[in-house]
Amino acid sequence: MAEKNLFLTPADTQIDPPVINIKPVQQILDLCRSMSFWPMTFGLACCAIEMMAVGMARFDIARFGAEAFRPSPRQSDLLIVAGTVSRKMAPAVVRLYEQMPAPKWVMALGNCAISGGPFSFEGQYGIVEGVDQLIPVDVYVPGCPPRPEGLLEGLFELQKKLTGRRFWPVPGKNILS
């Protein structure tokens, strides 16, 4: 029996350009999209705990427009891959990505999702060494596990990627002076 190829090619992930492209309208749409992400609840390992912490009162992802974690890929536009992706789980990750409506974005949360983490060594056969081998990734958030602030910074980078500017102050800089 032939083995099925799980990896998407760049041609499989392209979104058709708009029929009519009016720049001011596109900028307004991008601004609205950047302030209302609907992430999908998709935690695979320990990074999912940090993703859950971002929804709590201390970090409150709702302040930044991404509060509505959706249980279905058809209702979400941001896939946060939080944790280790095994070869057995890879077809499910690709299927969920394909079921999301366009435009869609992907955030790789944690070292395991980015590069296989501590499970990446010579001779290993069960772990995908980076979710970007399966689907296109827009933002990488490193850490093992990454802090909730890291996930928020990844969200800000995604907003910056869509609109071209950062709306929130950079940490560590005095905004009063």
Side-chain angles (χ1 to χ4, degrees):
M1 188 162 122
E3 186 175 323
K4 184 180 174 188
N5 186 7
L6 302 174
F7 304 106
L8 294 177
T9 63
D12 297 333
T13 61
Q14 296 298 319
I15 297 173
D16 295 333
V19 178
I20 299 173
N21 192 6
I22 303 169
K23 188 164 176 129
V25 174
Q26 189 62 40
Q27 288 174 334
I28 291 170
L29 283 174
D30 288 342
L31 177 66
C32 294
R33 286 180 181 140
S34 73
M35 294 298 176
S36 63
F37 286 118
W38 284 18
M40 186 169 58
T41 52
F42 188 67
L44 295 170
C46 46
C47 292
I49 303 299
E50 303 299 322
M51 184 174 65
M52 290 178 224
V54 170
M56 298 301 133
R58 181 173 178 193
F59 301 104
D60 196 17
I61 198 169
R63 292 179 292 165
F64 309 109
E67 65 189 297
F69 277 91
R70 308 309 299 174
S72 167
R74 292 180 180 90
Q75 300 171 346
S76 59
D77 58 3
L78 173 61
L79 174 61
I80 303 174
V81 180
T84 312
V85 181
S86 65
R87 296 248 179 235
K88 197 171 188 178
M89 193 63 180
V93 173
V94 173
R95 183 179 304 121
L96 289 173
Y97 178 79
E98 290 174 345
Q99 289 177 351
M100 292 170 62
K104 52 190 168 186
W105 300 277
V106 177
M107 181 186 297
L109 182 66
N111 292 345
C112 292
I114 293 171
S115 64
F119 307 107
S120 176
F121 55 88
E122 187 178 341
Q124 71 87 14
Y125 57 87
I127 302 299
V128 175
E129 294 179 355
V131 75
D132 55 357
Q133 293 183 6
L134 301 173
I135 55 178
V137 175
D138 296 296
V139 176
Y140 297 91
V141 180
C144 187
R147 297 265 315 143
E149 296 93 340
L151 193 148
L152 290 177
E153 281 296 319
L155 184 71
F156 300 158
E157 284 301 312
L158 197 54
Q159 289 175 342
K160 186 176 177 182
K161 185 174 183 176
L162 260 66
T163 62
R165 65 179 287 230
R166 184 182 172 104
F167 296 98
W168 316 106
V170 177
K173 291 194 175 182
N174 189 355
I175 57 176
L176 297 176
S177 59

